[in-house]
Amino acid sequence: MPRTLDPELRRALAARIRYYNEMGIYDFYRRPLSVRANIPESISADQPEIAISTSQPELGDEMSPRKATAAAVPVEENIFEASALKPEQSVSDPVKALKIIREDLGDCTRCVLHKQGRKQIVFGVGNPRAELMFVGEGPGADEDAQGEPFVGRAGQLLNNMIKAMGISREQVYIANIVKCRPPGNRTPEREECETCSPFLMRQIAVVKPKVVVALGAVAAKTLLAMSASMMQLRGRFYEFRPTGVRGNDPNWDGCKLAVTYHPAFLLRDPRQKGEAWKDLQMVMKELGMRAPKANT
Ligand code: URA
């Protein structure tokens, strides 16, 4: 298999993508390399799966194992990514840029969640210039009712975690991998995550945080395009660049990403709060923040 595209074909593809962009089409969905090349996934996997299965989803592998599809696509072939300049990228005001993304999302029917009882799309909330961004899994009943992420019990705990860092909810940006409530608060399917997350990637590219904190395994695995347990994912920073968005800011070439436990998991197992606090302290150090004194 040649690892590079014929330059003629590459030019033709780029012209076709520009044509689609001009018609207002920006999102292209890519099948895994193994599907395109007709190679069984079991043979073509670039990386060994390191997921473990446990009855505690937060500690194990909540989603069906996924391949790091972005990593599996040779750079030379990554023409879709290279060409996808999004409409909001011509706008410097992040408020306006986020509005453009929201409008592009529209009354979304791209995945099945739109017909499974969602009341509204939960886009994201907070400081459009935030240095710190939290990404959860998907809206629950309270979020679906109010149209804002993390406003239920898990949200109260997240607010407390943010406060413990010495900042307020209004100073950060908060969003989810999927923007519609999965029925019965089930874990979003991989396909739902992959359909919805390009919009989150665009939000991240607009906000340009210094650090993204992935809350829980679904957020971590979707953002990092890798499958691993929480134990393996936590405790370090990853270099993160939103996929599918061409950078247009010389001052922002991605950010750090840290993984911690989802607040809903911490509500179920409060003994892990100390571990989560360690993760947040690592983030605070990176951002040069100091926790307030206990009695202030
Ligand atoms: N859980 C999430 O992952 N996101 C929310 O917005 C609320 C609960």
Side-chain angles (χ1 to χ4, degrees), residues 32-212:
L33 191 61
S34 54
V35 176
R36 286 186 285 135
N38 239 349
I39 305 167
E41 291 219 7
S42 55
I43 300 171
S44 69
D46 275 2
Q47 296 170 321
E49 291 292 339
I50 46 175
I52 55 164
S53 186
T54 107
S55 58
Q56 284 212 59
E58 193 64 14
L59 298 175
D61 189 11
E62 281 173 30
M63 301 162 74
S64 49
R66 63 175 294 183
K67 304 288 175 287
T69 48
V73 177
V75 174
E76 283 292 324
E77 279 194 26
N78 219 343
I79 190 158
F80 293 106
E81 246 170 54
S83 305
L85 196 59
K86 308 293 182 189
E88 68 275 10
Q89 292 190 287
S90 57
V91 171
S92 58
D93 178 356
V95 177
K96 286 192 187 136
L98 289 171
K99 204 157 161 253
I100 290 172
I101 302 171
R102 179 64 190 90
E103 277 163 13
D104 197 6
L105 189 59
D107 189 21
C108 187
T109 57
R110 292 170 182 82
C111 85
V112 294
L113 291 179
H114 81 279
K115 53 181 178 188
Q116 295 192 343
R118 76 145 192 239
K119 287 201 180 68
Q120 56 187 314
I121 290 168
V122 179
F123 183 66
V125 73
N127 177 1
R129 295 183 176 82
E131 291 195 347
L132 177 58
M133 186 158 172
F134 289 93
V135 176
E137 181 177 309
D142 295 308
E143 291 76 21
D144 185 45
Q146 296 183 41
E148 185 172 324
F150 283 100
V151 290
R153 276 187 72 222
Q156 293 309 313
L157 179 54
L158 179 62
N159 290 349
N160 290 341
M161 289 157 71
I162 294 169
K163 210 161 146 201
M165 297 172 82
I167 51 175
S168 70
R169 179 177 168 101
E170 290 68 36
Q171 286 175 273
V172 305
Y173 193 87
I174 307 174
N176 282 307
I177 296 292
V178 296
K179 300 192 186 316
C180 295
R181 182 192 180 199
N185 293 347
R186 68 160 167 75
T187 302
E189 299 287 345
R190 172 148 41 111
E191 203 174 317
E192 293 154 4
C193 294
E194 286 180 357
T195 303
C196 202
S197 60
F199 290 93
L200 173 66
M201 296 292 180
R202 289 166 63 183
Q203 285 169 282
I204 297 173
V206 163
V207 175
K208 303 183 175 69
K210 288 188 177 152
V211 176
V212 170

